[in-house]
Amino acid sequence: MKNIFVKILRVLMLFVLLISWGIGYAINEDTLTEWWIPVGVAAMIAIATFPFYKKWAWLTAGDNKTVNLLCHLICVGTISYALFLTGNYFLADPSSTQEETVVVQKKYQETHKKTRRVGKRRYVPDGVRKEYYLQVAFENGTVETLHVSLSTYNKARKGQTKKLTLQKGFFGLPVITKGL
């Protein structure tokens, strides 16, 4: 019975890690910051909690110090990355709402090939998917590349101004709440 319970916990932990990574990635797209700031905060939290690495022996099924440290770094880092960005976004200060006018400098799309599996080791092309981006310049001179939807991409023109609603996040990182 205990063996089945541990296996279920391992699968749930993998599920939590994938969900945390996805949430962190999605919220990071609406947060105006360098990529290394939330990653650095998550790494500092993981390093600060290194003394608890032995608690991961149930997940790694062993007492290997290196494997448990690596497991701790990945699990705690991923979860704290998602929690940091989620807290910053959802606990943003509504009184700090401001409209920012940005100028569209460039718009472009990236095309990625999709494949599907047809055999044990065989994949065939299955069309393409497109991702749409706007490179915008803020009033203070900062240039950001924003991932946007197809409708926003189609409405945007080079040199055109666009209004974004920004709020100061709970941890001080600005977030885009409306305008994309």
Side-chain angles (χ1 to χ4, degrees):
M1 182 69 177
K2 184 180 178 185
N3 194 17
I4 293 172
F5 182 69
V6 170
K7 287 181 182 180
I8 291 171
L9 283 179
R10 287 178 183 154
V11 170
L12 285 175
M13 191 63 192
L14 181 64
F15 184 69
V16 166
L17 289 177
L18 290 174
I19 294 296
S20 295
W21 179 82
I23 288 172
Y25 179 78
I27 292 177
N28 190 33
E29 297 222 335
D30 289 337
T31 305
L32 298 176
T33 185
E34 297 292 328
W35 68 269
W36 57 268
I37 292 174
V39 170
V41 169
M44 287 188 337
I45 292 170
I47 290 170
T49 58
F50 263 171
F52 303 111
Y53 77 91
K54 292 179 184 173
K55 302 287 184 190
W56 295 99
W58 65 270
L59 185 65
T60 61
D63 291 328
N64 188 340
K65 182 178 180 179
T66 306
V67 173
N68 287 340
L69 277 172
L70 188 60
C71 180
H72 176 81
L73 182 67
I74 291 170
C75 293
V76 173
T78 303
I79 293 170
S80 57
Y81 174 78
L83 288 176
F84 175 74
L85 286 174
T86 303
N88 184 66
Y89 186 81
F90 288 109
L91 300 175
D93 184 16
S95 65
S96 68
T97 302
Q98 64 179 8
E99 293 240 338
E100 184 89 26
T101 304
V102 296
V103 178
V104 177
Q105 289 187 328
K106 180 177 157 184
K107 62 185 239 179
Y108 64 95
Q109 59 186 352
E110 290 181 357
T111 304
H112 302 281
K113 294 179 182 176
K114 291 189 325 185
T115 60
R116 64 185 169 91
R117 188 175 178 171
V118 294
K120 189 172 184 179
R121 292 185 186 96
R122 183 149 182 238
Y123 292 87
V124 296
D126 192 32
V128 295
R129 70 176 166 84
K130 295 183 180 181
E131 293 182 356
Y132 304 96
Y133 297 94
L134 294 179
Q135 187 180 50
V136 297
F138 287 85
E139 293 171 347
N140 63 4
T142 306
V143 177
E144 291 282 335
T145 302
L146 305 174
H147 187 257
V148 296
S149 65
L150 176 61
S151 62
T152 304
Y153 178 81
N154 287 336
K155 291 176 189 173
R157 300 286 177 253
K158 186 176 176 182
Q160 176 187 18
T161 60
K162 190 162 186 51
K163 291 225 183 259
L164 297 179
T165 304
L166 302 176
Q167 288 182 353
K168 184 177 182 182
F170 185 74
F171 297 115
L173 303 175
V175 294
I176 301 171
T177 56
K178 193 166 45 168
L180 289 181

